[in-house]
Each structure stands twice: as C-alpha cells, then as structure tokens.
Amino acid sequence: MSKKRISVSDVQIGQALKWDVYGSDGGLLLRRGFVVSNENQIEILLQRGMYLASDIGEDEPQIDAEGRKIFPKTVERPSVVRMIAQVRNELSTLSFNLTEAPQARTQFLVLAKKTMIATYLDSDVALGSILLHQTGGYAVRHCVDVAIVSILVAKALKKTDEEIIFLVAACLSMNISMLSQQEHLQAKSEDLSADEQALIFHHPEQSVALLKAAGVHDEAWLSWILHHHENEDGTGYPGKKHSADIPQNAKIISIADRYCARICARSYRKSLLPSAALKDILVAGKSTVDLMLVALFIRELGTYPIGSFVKLENGELGVVTSKGGTATTPYVHVLTDAWGAPLPVPIKRDTHKNLHGIREVLHRDQVRVIFAMRHLWGEIAME
C-alpha cells in the first residue's frame, strides 16, 4: 500500500472517491465513497490531498488469518454539520481549559483547519448551520459562525489557505478572555454594569495576553484579535485606530462578528432577519466599517442568506439552500404547500421564476414545520 498525490484525472464532480484521502500531514480528509459535488471540493483535494493506493479492489473481500472473507463495511459519509458540531465541542473544551492545554497553539490551528475543510466541502451547508443548527452555548458557537463567514469572504479575496487558517484561528480565539461571562451578557435585559462594560472594552487585549501565556506568539493572529473592534473612523476600541492602521483581516472578523451577532436572538430583542443584518450594518455603522468589504459580504452571503426562511409568491414556505442566477433569486427548498400543509419531501424551487419569486423573509417561529438539515442537503448535512 502506498500514498499517491491526487490528480485532475482522479476526481470528477458527481463521482464517489475510490480511496480514503489524506492530507500531507497524514490526517484523514475524506473517506472512500464521498461524492464530490462542486469545484471547491476538487480544488481542496488537488491542493491538499493524497490517497492510499491498494492492490485490493474496492468491492473485493479481504481474507483474515483463518481464511474467512471480510467484506468492506459500509463507509460513513462525512457530514459538514457533524464536523462543525465537533469543532464547537472541541473549541469549548480547549477554550475553557486554556491554562491546562500544553499544545494550545497547535490545537487552535487544527480546529481552524477542520473548520476550513468543512466550509470548503459544502459552503451552503456550513452557512446553513449558522441559522439552522444553533446547538450548544452561544459564546463558542458564535466564534465558529464568525469563522465560517470569514472563510468565504477571505476566499473571495483570494487569500492563501495558510493565511485563512490563521484568520480562522483568530476568529475561534477572539473572545477567549470573556467566554464564561458572555453567556451571562447574552441573556441580560438590563443595562451593562461598569464592570461588564470594562470587560467588553478590554477583552481584545486580555484575549491576546491569555493566548501569549498559552504559547501563541504569531504576530498577525494576535494583531487581528487586538484590532477586531476598531472602527474606520477611530471610534472603536481598545486603541481608537483609524482605517489605515487596521489590518484587513481584523476588518473581516469585525463585520462577520457584527453580522452573526445580529442574526442571533437576545433576551432583550428578536434576531434581525438575515436579509436585513448586513443592511443594518451599512446604515447603523457606515462610518465605522469598510464599505467595500461590506459590499463583498453582501455579494458572498446573498440578499437572502442561506438558511433564511422565506414565503414565495405562490404562498409556499421554505428555506434558502443555495445561490441562484442572481443575488436576489436563490434556490429554495419549500417545506409547505400554498395552504401551509407540510410537504412529505422538500421541493427545490428556482426563485427566478415569477410564480416562485420571494415575497417576504420570515422568522423561524413563523414556519411551524419540523425538519432536519439532512432533508434539505442530504447526507452531507446529517446531524
């Protein structure tokens, strides 16, 4: 058995992989049987993948020591939702036990790589998980959500995989000094106390200090955390930096942070509709954010971000599941018919067609249908 580098001729959209695929570091990327569904997946396999070649056919049995035939077991397909859930769980363990983690830097980078691979495998499912799979504590989940959005924007800016991994590591660790208090702050309905305001104001500096103490000394990584609450006009914190002094990756984290916070419900307010969140950032903070970057966010996330609940012109209710021909005409999987009756199987609609155009965006509680992400995207979205 030997390792061989993946080539263009080895991978085709719509075909299952014939081998377990490993990265150059020996870590398993994809199992045999995974169906390649888009060019992003091919790109990551060509850049990072090596497969194990074997003389044994993929459907042929092996023979054990007693001469019995052992047939290949059914291969479990990778699930982006499960990968993201695993990152959330492992990030929580790492973050709340940072002082006891002997290899904290390495562990953050491993989690960053897992997040990037999950997002590259199916960015629609990764984005959908932000709105449709809100399990676990808010504080850690928020950091992972910010990382997913930041990956898509960084990729659109043609940043290298290496830079994106460190950007994701910064997203995952940006609030590490206040994670335990963040759940409490999330649930507050009254004004913040002076101590709570000070905690928020100083958390970029304190997070950097904690990471340094844990062995993280990467200048760029720490700088992006330190600056992710600075504003274009110098009104941010902790250094009141102006636009030219704020790293672009810190600006990406900042906008992703604001977007993900707006689409999450708080005890004192309802979540903003995803379609309105970025517009709200433009209106409420147009002097504080990089408007060109916000425009890129809108382009990448769409006018109707994936995971949004919508009502169509014909009365059907559904979920946005992928981009369409234009920014305003995504594909939607409808969950109910025009009279509100649940469908046995979601049906895909092209909202470019007049009958299936989007009439309005809905909050989750307006769609009284029980469903799972796998009903919309299949095995890659198994929970």
Side-chain angles (χ1 to χ4, degrees):
M1 186 175 291
S2 61
K3 286 185 177 179
K4 177 182 176 182
R5 171 67 65 178
I6 289 276
S7 68
V8 175
S9 61
D10 293 323
V11 189
Q12 293 185 30
I13 292 177
Q15 292 189 0
L17 297 175
K18 297 180 179 179
W19 332 266
D20 287 343
V21 178
Y22 293 79
S24 56
D25 60 358
L28 180 66
L29 292 179
L30 293 172
R31 291 194 177 277
R32 178 168 69 96
F34 175 79
V35 177
V36 177
S37 62
N38 59 56
E39 293 182 358
N40 280 343
Q41 294 171 1
I42 291 179
E43 182 180 341
I44 193 172
L45 287 173
L46 294 179
Q47 289 179 355
R48 311 187 72 86
M50 305 176 74
Y51 67 80
L52 283 179
S54 171
D55 293 331
I56 300 174
E58 59 177 306
D59 295 318
E60 295 177 12
Q62 301 182 41
I63 308 298
D64 69 10
E66 298 180 4
R68 293 174 299 196
K69 292 181 178 180
I70 303 175
F71 289 88
K73 296 180 180 179
T74 302
V75 177
E76 183 180 355
R77 303 294 189 262
S79 163
V80 168
V81 175
R82 287 176 180 164
M83 292 170 72
I84 290 171
Q86 183 182 32
V87 169
R88 291 174 181 173
N89 291 334
E90 293 179 4
L91 178 62
S92 180
T93 300
L94 172 59
S95 299
F96 288 108
N97 298 278
L98 185 65
T99 57
E100 301 172 11
Q103 300 290 332
R105 178 183 181 276
T106 299
Q107 291 182 63
F108 274 117
L109 291 175
V110 168
L111 291 177
K113 182 177 179 182
K114 287 182 180 179
T115 308
M116 187 178 77
I117 289 173
T119 305
Y120 278 13
L121 284 178
D122 199 308
S123 58
D124 293 340
V125 176
L127 280 175
S129 72
I130 296 175
L131 290 166
L132 303 177
H133 196 245
Q134 297 185 354
T135 60
Y138 166 79
V140 169
R141 187 181 75 238
H142 174 73
C143 292
V144 179
D145 292 347
V146 170
I148 291 168
V149 174
S150 296
I151 288 169
L152 297 177
V153 173
K155 186 169 174 57
L157 290 168
K158 302 189 183 304
K159 294 182 182 289
T160 65
D161 283 351
E162 181 180 10
E163 183 176 353
I164 293 175
I165 288 174
F166 280 91
L167 170 60
V168 174
C171 293
L172 299 181
S173 55
M174 64 183 182
N175 294 333
I176 199 162
S177 69
M178 66 171 194
L179 285 181
S180 58
Q181 297 94 337
Q182 201 168 0
E183 296 293 342
H184 168 69
L185 296 176
Q186 167 75 2
K188 285 201 67 168
S189 57
E190 65 273 14
D191 292 340
L192 298 179
S193 68
D195 287 343
E196 289 166 340
Q197 291 175 349
L199 173 71
I200 292 173
F201 184 85
H202 293 294
H203 86 267
E205 297 164 301
Q206 292 174 348
S207 293
V208 167
L210 282 174
L211 289 168
K212 284 183 176 179
V216 176
H217 300 289
D218 303 81
E219 184 178 346
W221 175 350
L222 298 176
S223 174
W224 302 335
I225 291 176
L226 184 63
H227 292 91
H228 80 279
H229 280 292
E230 299 290 356
N231 291 333
E232 294 290 296
D233 60 3
T235 60
Y237 59 90
K240 297 192 178 298
K241 302 287 186 180
H242 285 80
S243 177
D245 299 318
I246 306 171
Q248 185 183 58
N249 285 337
K251 296 180 182 183
I252 291 173
I253 296 173
S254 175
I255 299 171
D257 185 17
R258 299 181 198 205
Y259 169 76
C260 292
R262 278 165 167 76
I263 62 176
C264 179
R266 308 290 179 96
S267 60
Y268 54 88
R269 66 157 172 81
K270 201 172 186 177
S271 62
L272 279 181
L273 292 170
S275 58
L278 287 172
K279 294 178 184 177
D280 182 70
I281 293 172
L282 276 175
V283 173
K286 60 183 178 181
S287 65
T288 67
V289 294
D290 184 325
L291 298 182
M292 295 298 291
L293 269 181
V294 176
L296 180 59
F297 270 77
I298 293 173
R299 191 187 80 187
E300 291 304 306
L301 296 177
T303 304
Y304 304 103
I306 291 168
S308 301
F309 293 94
V310 294
K311 175 181 277 191
L312 305 187
E313 290 293 349
N314 65 357
E316 295 173 334
L317 305 184
V319 181
V320 176
T321 50
S322 64
K323 290 182 179 180
T326 70
T328 58
T329 57
Y331 288 99
V332 169
H333 275 73
V334 294
L335 304 170
T336 76
D337 63 21
W339 296 272
L343 299 174
V345 178
I347 300 174
K348 188 175 183 178
R349 300 297 195 201
D350 182 355
T351 62
H352 182 71
K353 298 178 180 178
N354 290 336
L355 184 64
H356 300 143
I358 294 176
R359 182 192 302 176
E360 63 177 311
V361 185
L362 308 172
H363 281 284
R364 176 67 182 93
D365 56 13
Q366 294 177 272
V367 183
R368 302 184 182 281
V369 182
I370 297 174
F371 69 98
M373 289 183 66
R374 68 178 183 277
H375 298 148
L376 306 176
W377 287 283
E379 288 185 331
I380 198 141
M382 291 288 287
E383 298 176 17

